[in-house]
Amino acid sequence: MQVTYQHLSQKSIGQVVTEHPELVKVFMEYEIDFCCGGDRSLEEAVRRDTDEIEALKEAVTVALAHAFQVPMNGRNIKLSSLSDAELIDKIINTHHAYLRGVLPEVSTLLFKLLNVHGTAHPELFEVHHIFGGLKTELESHMIKEEKQLFPALLNKQDGLADLIGVLEAEHDGAGDALHKLTEITDHFKVPKDGCKTYELAYAKLKELVADMYMHVHTENNILFKRV
Ligand SMILES: [Fe+2]
Ligand SMILES: [Fe+2]
């Protein structure tokens, strides 16, 4: 049977993405939050996050039908089929490694931008400030995961609920910061007088938002749910 939007509407959106990774692209395009807001039903998430509900439903149904006809290749592996160790390995080697490289890089770019364009574009002060906070938070967050939670998970330790609660709250904080950055920059639109650095900084920020969606989804909706 072919699955459609209606079949999934009452499931949590985190679960929907776990079962149908082909929908990630659609949700990203319509800015439906499936990572921090992953416990909401698909219907509720859609109602809250977008005005283009009919267009989104159509896009979901098309993506589902396409995946049904053309079996997914290795690129769309189901994260839920990975073991805890494989999932942790993937988080560290893709998302954490990516952040370790990109956070200092974007930080340097934003400081340059502020210096050159801050007077003409005062919103850059806020972008610089919010990103600085996000960078600091994410750096300590990754250490907590790598040194505390992940080893404890692999050792099947009990009593991890408090630590997971802290980490989930930090995901929410990071999600808020990313939403604010998206809003302030009007979805990372480079102004007409923007230079190459402007383009590069905003392109990297946009990519970071997308990576964080998958990162937090993998942790909140898949790995943490196993505890
Ligand atoms: Fe992480
Ligand atoms: Fe995390």
Side-chain angles (χ1 to χ4, degrees), residues 5 18 29 40 59 68 91 105 115-116 182 203 213-214 222:
Y5 177 90
T18 304
E29 197 184 318
R40 305 176 297 173
F68 182 70
I91 290 168
E105 213 180 327
N115 193 24
V116 180
T182 308
Y213 260 64
M214 278 316 291
I222 303 175

Side-chain angles (χ1 to χ4, degrees), residues 211-223:
D211 194 85
M212 279 295 291
Y213 260 64
M214 278 316 291
H215 181 178
V216 172
H217 164 66
T218 308
E219 291 173 357
N220 273 8
N221 300 328
I222 303 175
L223 186 64

Side-chain angles (χ1 to χ4, degrees), residues 141 145 171 215 219:
H141 177 84
E145 288 180 339
H171 289 164
H215 181 178
E219 291 173 357

Side-chain angles (χ1 to χ4, degrees), residues 84 151-158 160:
D84 292 356
L153 267 176
L154 291 174
N155 288 327
K156 310 260 177 240
Q157 279 176 31
D158 291 325
L160 297 176

Side-chain angles (χ1 to χ4, degrees), residues 80-146:
S80 54
S81 66
L82 299 181
S83 69
D84 292 356
E86 286 168 331
L87 211 47
I88 287 170
D89 207 57
K90 187 169 163 54
I91 290 168
I92 294 176
N93 292 315
T94 57
H95 302 301
H96 288 198
Y98 165 73
L99 282 177
R100 281 188 161 88
V102 83
L103 289 172
E105 213 180 327
V106 173
S107 173
T108 304
L109 289 171
L110 290 181
F111 186 52
K112 269 190 200 162
L113 273 195
L114 188 63
N115 193 24
V116 180
H117 298 274
T119 308
H121 298 283
E123 72 277 9
L124 287 173
F125 282 90
E126 215 181 335
V127 171
H128 176 259
H129 182 77
I130 293 172
F131 185 82
L134 176 71
K135 175 175 179 286
T136 306
E137 284 296 314
L138 285 177
E139 283 164 351
S140 63
H141 177 84
M142 284 191 288
I143 303 298
K144 283 181 208 166
E145 288 180 339
E146 291 177 13

